[in-house]
Amino acid sequence: MDQANPFETPKTFSLHRAEYLVAFAVTTGLLIAHLGEIRWLPAVALFLYIDLIGYIPGAIAFKRSGGKPISKVYYVLYNVMHSLITQAAVAALWCWLIGPEWALLVLPFHLFGDRGLFGNFMKSFALPFEPVRQSGYLRLLDDLGIAHPKPAGHAQDPEPVGHIVKLPQPAARPREEALR
């Protein structure tokens, strides 16, 4: 779910990230091999637009909220912009309208780097926008007998809140309690 709460064991999360690191290494190698053939202005724009639309607005909203839930719109923007499907469609459209070019390699380079280097995967509505350790994940590790990984995220984590609002349970009626 995020690097603080992958809801995988730390080993499987590391293996998951390693797959993206291999893809990141391949795209890095291709970028280096074709350094002179890359139009850098479009490459930089393609690299940055993903986070300008998909991450920075949500990060600002999260910071301003003091750790309280933010609009789900930010999660949707992040997930759409950080989707391999979306970026493949962008690359296909670019190839159709402008033509294929090596600058398009920055799209998978960005996504593979986010996932492999930083452990950033799709964002769940149930978790804060930024990684905050969740007690449920830590209990899962305890139940599995696995040591907690080092904390990831912020120096001072806000309260672990997501977008699941727990409604107070109505008090049981005396007759219902007798039936239990």
Side-chain angles (χ1 to χ4, degrees), residues 5-150:
N5 312 281
F7 287 93
E8 297 179 84
T9 65
K11 290 278 187 234
T12 56
F13 186 60
S14 295
L15 291 171
H16 196 180
R17 288 178 66 182
E19 291 182 343
Y20 285 100
L21 281 174
V22 170
F24 178 72
V26 169
T27 56
T28 300
L30 287 169
L31 283 168
I32 292 168
H34 297 281
L35 215 52
E37 302 170 66
I38 296 172
R39 289 189 315 135
W40 286 102
L41 188 58
V44 169
L46 286 166
F47 183 87
L48 293 176
Y49 100 100
I50 294 170
D51 283 341
L52 288 173
I53 296 169
Y55 173 69
I56 293 173
I60 291 169
F62 179 80
K63 179 111 173 121
R64 286 184 177 165
S65 77
K68 291 183 172 60
I70 61 173
S71 172
K72 292 178 183 179
V73 169
Y74 297 113
Y75 291 75
V76 172
L77 285 172
Y78 181 92
N79 291 340
V80 167
M81 295 307 297
H82 287 82
S83 165
L84 289 166
I85 296 167
T86 300
Q87 297 314 319
V90 167
L93 188 61
W94 187 284
C95 288
W96 182 54
L97 295 173
I98 298 169
E101 62 177 300
W102 291 110
L104 292 170
L105 274 175
V106 300
L107 297 173
F109 176 82
H110 182 130
L111 299 181
F112 297 153
D114 274 357
R115 292 176 183 161
L117 295 173
F118 305 116
N120 295 331
F121 290 86
M122 297 296 184
K123 295 197 179 288
S124 167
F125 293 149
L127 294 173
F129 189 82
E130 292 289 352
V132 177
R133 294 183 110 183
Q134 300 292 306
S135 58
Y137 176 65
L138 299 176
R139 282 193 309 274
L140 170 68
L141 294 179
D142 291 341
D143 289 348
L144 295 172
I146 297 171
H148 296 186
K150 68 177 185 158

